[in-house]
Amino acid sequence: MAAATAIVAAYVAREPRHATHRRSQNVSLVGAFSLLAPSEFLAVGYLLGGWPIVAAYLLFYGTAAVLIIRCNVRAGWGRRHRLALAGGTLPTYAWHSFVE
């Protein structure tokens, strides 16, 4: 899981080669996505068990990776978007540490 995350992060961190003409999303929307997506990853662990959780994780990781990569190639995607993407996950793991 950590290796897959590192590979996706390395791919997302590169400057896009073929930027599309569509504008990128608002930075606040990217931050909200990066706050909510890890929250559902952590919450599904309390709801499911066994093989259904594996299927849910694969679905969630695949969907998040596709959305991030598609947004990364849009015009206007920059450092603030990457910061929002990385910074949005921090509060999720902070609240989850209290639940554990």
Side-chain angles (χ1 to χ4, degrees):
M1 184 165 80
T5 305
I7 291 169
V8 170
Y11 181 78
V12 170
R14 293 187 305 164
E15 293 298 322
R17 289 186 216 152
H18 305 290
T20 63
H21 296 294
R22 297 177 67 187
R23 286 290 293 157
S24 62
Q25 284 76 19
N26 188 354
V27 176
S28 300
L29 183 64
V30 174
F33 170 77
S34 67
L35 175 67
L36 295 176
S39 297
E40 71 182 34
F41 291 138
L42 296 174
V44 78
Y46 296 109
L47 301 174
L48 299 174
W51 286 107
I53 196 170
V54 174
Y57 281 153
L58 290 174
L59 177 70
F60 290 155
Y61 282 122
T63 303
V66 167
L67 286 173
I68 291 168
I69 291 169
R70 287 184 60 137
C71 291
N72 183 37
V73 297
R74 291 186 175 187
W77 182 273
R79 293 179 179 167
R80 293 181 354 165
H81 290 88
R82 286 191 291 263
L83 179 63
L85 196 60
T89 59
L90 295 176
T92 301
Y93 291 103
W95 75 258
H96 187 260
S97 66
F98 292 111
V99 176
E100 290 288 313

